[in-house]
Amino acid sequence: MATSQKSDLQTNKAGAFSSSRRTVLKAGTAAALAAPSLSLGVAQAQTVDALPATRTLQGELTITPVINGTPREVAIDARMSLLDLLRERLGLAGAKKGCDHGQCGACTVHVNGRRVASCLTMAAKIDGAEITTIEGIADGDTLHPMQQAFIDHDGLQCGYCTPGQIMAAIACVEEGHAETTDSIREYMSGNICRCGAYNGIVAAIEQAATEMREG
């Protein structure tokens, strides 16, 4: 009889524990579901409410840049970079995707005459702007003086960084920073050549700078 009573007592305790555990879990779940509405401030709640509306930024918009002298009209994703626009939508693959963080210079192009890292430039920001890429600097079959100078001085090896190097070098001259070797090195420091063809690059810029000033 004592054993039976002990067993009943254990069963009752187990049942009470199970019931208590279910109660706690239910209460915890209810609290978790209520937490967002309790913890969000007014500003946070408004941000959450506004999230669906911000998705319109991911839709398409139409821009009309002038690419290498040719007016273009193109529909883009609002999140697209200028580099992706050039390479993936317009087939201008000269600008290279290197680091994709604006640190190597392989994607350098000109926007309204200024050199920019196209991987960090939003395509939506160049509506109506004039864009010049490596594909647009030659005059027909006649190379730009900077292109020819890179060939003359072996300013390239693998060639991956070369388009960005040439676009940056043209800007370096036009900005007036190609007066001395030290100045060239300083103002070209944002363009990395992993092959180490820096001596040839500097010599090429010095040669092209003279021709560009005369011509």
Side-chain angles (χ1 to χ4, degrees):
M1 187 69 176
T3 302
S4 176
Q5 290 177 341
K6 184 177 180 181
S7 176
D8 290 343
L9 180 60
Q10 290 175 340
T11 300
N12 290 337
K13 286 183 178 180
F17 175 78
S18 177
S19 176
S20 175
R21 184 172 180 274
R22 284 195 298 270
T23 301
V24 170
L25 288 175
K26 287 180 180 179
T29 301
L33 292 174
S37 60
L38 293 174
S39 62
L40 286 177
V42 175
Q44 291 173 306
Q46 289 175 344
T47 301
V48 172
D49 292 341
L51 282 178
T54 63
R55 291 176 184 168
T56 58
L57 294 177
Q58 299 176 10
E60 287 193 341
L61 57 90
T62 300
I63 61 173
T64 56
V66 179
I67 310 290
N68 295 326
T70 302
R72 304 292 294 267
E73 182 175 321
V74 57
I76 63 166
D77 187 302
R79 300 164 297 177
M80 178 176 283
S81 70
L82 173 56
L83 178 59
D84 287 340
L85 169 63
L86 294 172
R87 292 180 57 84
E88 298 177 13
R89 297 296 297 276
L90 300 179
L92 298 172
K96 298 299 189 287
K97 182 172 285 194
C99 66
D100 213 23
H101 287 79
Q103 297 176 349
C104 72
C107 67
T108 303
V109 300
H110 296 179
V111 176
N112 292 331
R114 296 181 60 188
R115 53 174 153 172
V116 303
S118 59
C119 70
L120 297 183
T121 304
M122 298 303 294
K125 294 291 187 180
I126 55 99
D127 186 25
E130 293 188 8
I131 313 301
T132 304
T133 71
I134 190 68
E135 291 89 349
I137 63 173
D139 183 8
D141 293 332
T142 303
L143 295 178
H144 186 283
M146 192 64 73
Q147 291 174 303
Q148 187 61 56
F150 265 68
I151 295 172
D152 295 342
H153 292 276
D154 293 327
L156 65 151
Q157 288 187 33
C158 78
Y160 193 84
C161 74
T162 306
Q165 294 277 3
I166 290 175
M167 297 306 294
I170 293 172
C172 181
V173 175
E174 293 177 343
E175 293 163 1
H177 300 311
E179 301 298 328
T180 67
T181 299
D182 288 342
S183 181
I184 290 172
R185 291 184 182 279
E186 178 180 355
Y187 284 92
M188 289 295 294
S189 61
N191 288 74
I192 297 173
C193 173
R194 290 177 172 83
C195 299
Y198 293 112
N199 290 335
I201 290 171
V202 172
I205 296 173
E206 289 175 333
Q207 173 183 306
T210 300
E211 296 180 20
M212 289 170 66
R213 293 190 198 103
E214 293 175 351

